[in-house]
Amino acid sequence: MSMDIDASASIVHRPSIPSSAATILCCNCGAPIDGTSAAGALCYDCVKLTVDISEGIQREATLHICRDCERWLQPPAHWISAAPESRELLALCLRKLRGLTKVRIIDASFIWTEPHSRRIKVKITIQQEVFEGTILQQTFEVEYVVNYHQCPDCAKSFTANTWRAVVQVRQKVPHKRTFLYLEQLILKHSAHKDTINIKEVKDGLDFFYAQRNHAEKFVDFLTSVAPVRSKKSQELISMDIHTSTKSYKFSFSVELVPICKDDLVALPIKLAQQIGNIAPLTICHRVGTSINLIDPQTLQTADVSTPIYWRTPFVSLADVQELVEFVVMDIEIVGSPKGRFLPAEATVARASDLGFNDITYFTRTHLGGVLHAGDSAMGYHITGTNFNNRHFEALEQSNAYSSHIPDVVLVKKHYLRKNKKNKSRKWRLKRMNKEEGEVLPKKQDQERMDRDFEMFLRDVEEDAELRNTVALYKAQQREKKQKDKDRMEGVEEATVAETDDDDGSDDVPKINMEELLDEFNQLDVEDEDE
């Protein structure tokens, strides 16, 4: 009897035969064996030659790979990513073979082949019980042929229907500070990992996804970190009249509340009474899942949740672009602290009026813990300013609140900085790699975006609570060419904003090195000729 054996098989031997045991001859070769435990009246060598436990197992198979995304097809229609000679690829190869379920797999490993040969060889060791009490082990090789097959996602990328769902995030405000903060939250939680493209448009960003559930997951993330409202719409792309199968494109419109940090807000009087009878003229000191407001005169705080805001919407009375610099002439603490705020009475004067007139303003502020005589503060100059806001007009006409409108509302301390081009911060933020719109930004728009980013960086330096919610990385001095090579996938390095280490004042807040993260840089292989 002849048969092809790939490799020598081994058999599990039993203990030596006692001299008193019954002895018979092998029916094939005539060798004496133990008759009480013989496997079919065959000796061990004849069992190895006559029994093939790998019979019925394929010796050749075919694997399909997409040459664009380099993913492997896992039947029936699932595509997985697997590196060459990885555990994932080995598991895929073993699943492709029929008949392996009847035997026990002891070992499996790759055999090296030329990369251009489009062949994969796997060495497999199996075991099976051939007779009662006899276990046979055998090793054989399987050869796989690698064929190219385009996956549906890559095929769709060459058509007009590249994306299946889009999330349109919008906020109708004149600056991008809220989007810059939202961008850091997205990067910190890797919420953008499933996006196929990010496009920057007017008043917001568009996030494109290949699957609908990825877009819904991103909308849920936005709802958990910011006060938003969302709407869903769908568009029919195609329909098969024979099977009634329809293909849709989904659009999710997400709108952020137009209230930002440090904005001056005039609440509707009825709403102010409902959320704790707070004074209607307040400052927004934080925007999380709700809008956190504070009355700078009494230090009373209130939260406006997302459902309450969209039920009674209102806009900011003034934003950070209208802040005026004031100089603190005198300040006195008048109460006990509430959290990180300390009530105080201050006498201030506009920095632009010094040397021209002696006009001063008396106000109550929540910044008693950080302001001292001679410091500069940014605030809103309410006296003599015309606001086109119906809620503020109702406030002026109210008998209960008209007499409590202050002349000046201080928002935050102002730090004097001296910028130099050859100095840089010791920390940096990452930016998402966004695609610009069809119309390139004008020069003044680019300057405004740079100014907003610098303002956001200063907010991160000055606000420890804000700093705890974003990921800060250590800034490394690299060559411009090296920066282009060290970009991570889906993340673009932010240009380190220029500042001076030797600022004019020692009060300028500095970030400790313990708060910074070390960035993992992937190793890049470079040719010596370059």
Side-chain angles (χ1 to χ4, degrees):
M1 181 178 180
S2 62
M3 63 187 311
D4 296 333
I5 302 298
D6 295 304
S8 59
S10 59
I11 194 168
V12 179
H13 292 275
R14 289 183 170 273
S16 59
I17 303 174
S19 58
S20 61
T23 303
I24 63 175
L25 299 179
C26 174
C27 63
N28 192 18
C29 63
I33 58 175
D34 183 10
T36 60
S37 60
L42 294 173
C43 63
Y44 298 121
D45 295 333
C46 292
V47 169
K48 293 187 292 183
L49 293 175
T50 57
V51 179
D52 183 14
I53 62 176
S54 65
E55 184 179 3
I57 301 177
Q58 294 177 265
R59 300 303 174 92
E60 293 183 356
T62 304
L63 297 176
H64 294 89
I65 184 174
C66 177
R67 69 171 70 199
D68 295 324
C69 62
E70 297 184 352
R71 292 188 299 172
W72 300 85
L73 174 61
Q74 179 176 326
H78 186 58
W79 293 82
I80 63 173
S81 299
E85 298 190 4
S86 61
R87 297 180 60 183
E88 294 79 8
L89 184 57
L90 182 61
L92 177 62
C93 293
L94 296 179
R95 281 195 290 265
K96 291 284 290 185
L97 297 181
R98 294 190 301 268
L100 281 181
T101 56
K102 301 178 181 179
V103 296
R104 179 184 179 186
I105 302 177
I106 300 301
D107 186 25
S109 60
F110 287 99
I111 300 177
W112 185 87
T113 56
E114 293 286 346
H116 58 79
S117 64
R118 293 171 57 184
R119 297 293 187 272
I120 296 177
K121 291 185 178 181
V122 178
K123 182 179 179 182
I124 304 176
T125 303
I126 58 175
Q127 278 186 359
Q128 189 180 21
E129 185 177 6
V130 292
F131 299 103
E132 183 179 357
T134 303
I135 299 176
L136 189 64
Q137 179 173 308
Q138 188 174 347
T139 301
F140 61 96
E141 297 178 4
V142 180
E143 181 176 333
Y144 297 87
V145 180
V146 180
N147 291 337
Y148 291 121
H149 185 78
Q150 193 176 44
C151 66
D153 295 336
C154 294
K156 190 186 300 181
S157 64
F158 292 97
T159 64
N161 302 323
T162 305
W163 52 271
R164 180 56 60 90
V166 59
V167 180
Q168 301 171 338
V169 186
R170 299 290 185 271
Q171 186 185 34
K172 298 178 181 179
V173 292
H175 55 82
K176 295 284 187 179
R177 293 171 61 225
T178 304
F179 272 102
L180 292 172
Y181 175 63
L182 185 61
E183 178 183 12
Q184 298 303 316
L185 293 179
I186 293 174
L187 289 173
K188 182 177 181 180
H189 297 87
S190 300
H192 67 301
K193 62 180 180 179
D194 296 323
T195 58
I196 59 177
N197 190 19
I198 303 175
K199 188 176 181 180
E200 188 170 5
V201 296
K202 183 181 179 182
D203 296 335
L205 296 171
D206 288 346
F207 297 83
F208 297 93
Y209 294 89
Q211 298 181 19
R212 172 186 172 185
N213 57 342
H214 292 164
E216 292 177 343
K217 182 180 178 181
F218 184 69
V219 173
D220 294 339
F221 169 77
L222 294 179
T223 306
S224 64
V225 298
V228 300
R229 66 173 177 179
S230 60
K231 294 182 181 179
K232 174 187 172 184
S233 62
Q234 59 186 19
E235 177 187 359
L236 180 64
I237 301 176
S238 62
M239 180 179 66
D240 189 350
I241 61 175
H242 301 287
T243 60
S244 298
T245 303
K246 301 178 182 179
S247 179
Y248 289 96
K249 272 188 174 181
F250 300 92
S251 298
F252 297 86
S253 176
V254 179
E255 183 180 359
L256 280 75
V257 295
I259 307 296
C260 303
K261 183 176 178 292
D262 297 335
D263 283 359
L264 183 64
V265 178
L267 295 172
I269 297 179
K270 184 177 180 181
L271 177 62
Q273 296 173 350
Q274 292 175 351
I275 59 176
N277 201 21
I278 190 174
L281 192 63
T282 58
I283 296 175
C284 176
H285 70 92
R286 182 178 175 271
V287 177
T289 55
S290 61
I291 304 174
N292 305 125
L293 304 174
I294 183 172
D295 180 10
Q297 301 190 54
T298 62
L299 268 63
Q300 182 181 355
T301 58
D303 296 342
V304 180
S305 61
T306 305
I308 293 178
Y309 175 83
W310 293 115
R311 198 160 49 238
T312 311
F314 54 88
V315 297
S316 60
L317 189 62
D319 55 39
V320 292
Q321 297 180 349
E322 303 175 34
L323 288 173
V324 180
E325 183 180 354
F326 292 89
V327 177
V328 180
M329 312 301 293
D330 187 20
I331 188 169
E332 181 181 356
I333 307 299
V334 295
S336 58
K338 294 183 178 180
R340 60 190 181 99
F341 303 116
L342 184 63
E345 294 180 348
T347 302
V348 298
R350 293 181 58 177
S352 58
D353 292 343
L354 296 179
F356 296 95
N357 54 56
D358 297 333
I359 300 178
T360 59
Y361 304 94
F362 177 80
T363 183
R364 293 177 63 91
T365 179
H366 61 293
L367 304 176
V370 295
L371 290 181
H372 306 86
D375 291 344
S376 297
M378 303 299 291
Y380 296 105
H381 191 199
I382 299 179
T383 301
T385 305
N386 293 325
F387 296 104
N388 185 14
N389 188 288
R390 59 187 180 92
H391 300 306
F392 185 73
E393 293 176 358
L395 194 63
E396 291 179 323
Q397 298 173 2
S398 173
N399 296 329
Y401 299 106
S402 60
S403 59
H404 295 83
I405 299 177
D407 297 332
V408 172
V409 176
L410 299 181
V411 177
K412 60 182 179 179
K413 183 177 180 179
H414 177 62
Y415 297 93
L416 300 177
R417 304 170 186 266
K418 296 179 181 179
N419 295 335
K420 292 183 179 181
K421 293 185 178 180
N422 57 352
K423 296 292 184 178
S424 61
R425 288 185 172 94
K426 296 181 180 179
W427 57 275
R428 51 178 289 273
L429 297 173
K430 288 185 178 180
R431 304 292 304 277
M432 287 189 301
N433 192 11
K434 300 181 289 292
E435 177 185 343
E436 295 181 351
E438 298 178 358
V439 181
L440 296 177
K442 299 180 181 179
K443 182 178 179 180
Q444 55 269 27
D445 294 338
Q446 185 64 38
E447 293 177 354
R448 179 176 57 83
M449 294 170 60
D450 295 340
R451 185 169 59 252
D452 292 342
F453 184 65
E454 174 62 25
M455 189 179 299
F456 176 71
L457 292 177
R458 295 185 179 184
D459 288 341
V460 173
E461 285 180 337
E462 299 169 5
D463 193 345
E465 184 178 353
L466 174 65
R467 191 163 59 245
N468 293 333
T469 59
V470 299
L472 304 180
Y473 296 88
K474 296 179 181 179
Q476 300 178 2
Q477 301 295 333
R478 301 190 184 105
E479 296 293 334
K480 184 178 180 181
K481 178 181 177 181
Q482 187 67 20
K483 283 185 177 181
D484 296 336
K485 293 182 178 180
D486 289 343
R487 288 182 180 175
M488 297 175 63
E489 181 180 357
V491 177
E492 182 181 0
E493 290 189 357
T495 304
V496 181
E498 298 167 354
T499 187
D500 187 47
D501 293 338
D502 299 326
D503 291 294
S505 174
D506 295 336
D507 295 335
V508 175
K510 294 181 176 60
I511 299 178
N512 297 328
M513 296 298 293
E514 290 79 8
E515 303 180 32
L516 305 182
L517 302 176
D518 291 323
E519 179 185 353
F520 173 73
N521 296 325
Q522 297 180 349
L523 298 179
D524 294 335
V525 180
E526 298 181 5
D527 295 333
E528 295 181 358
D529 297 339
E530 298 180 358

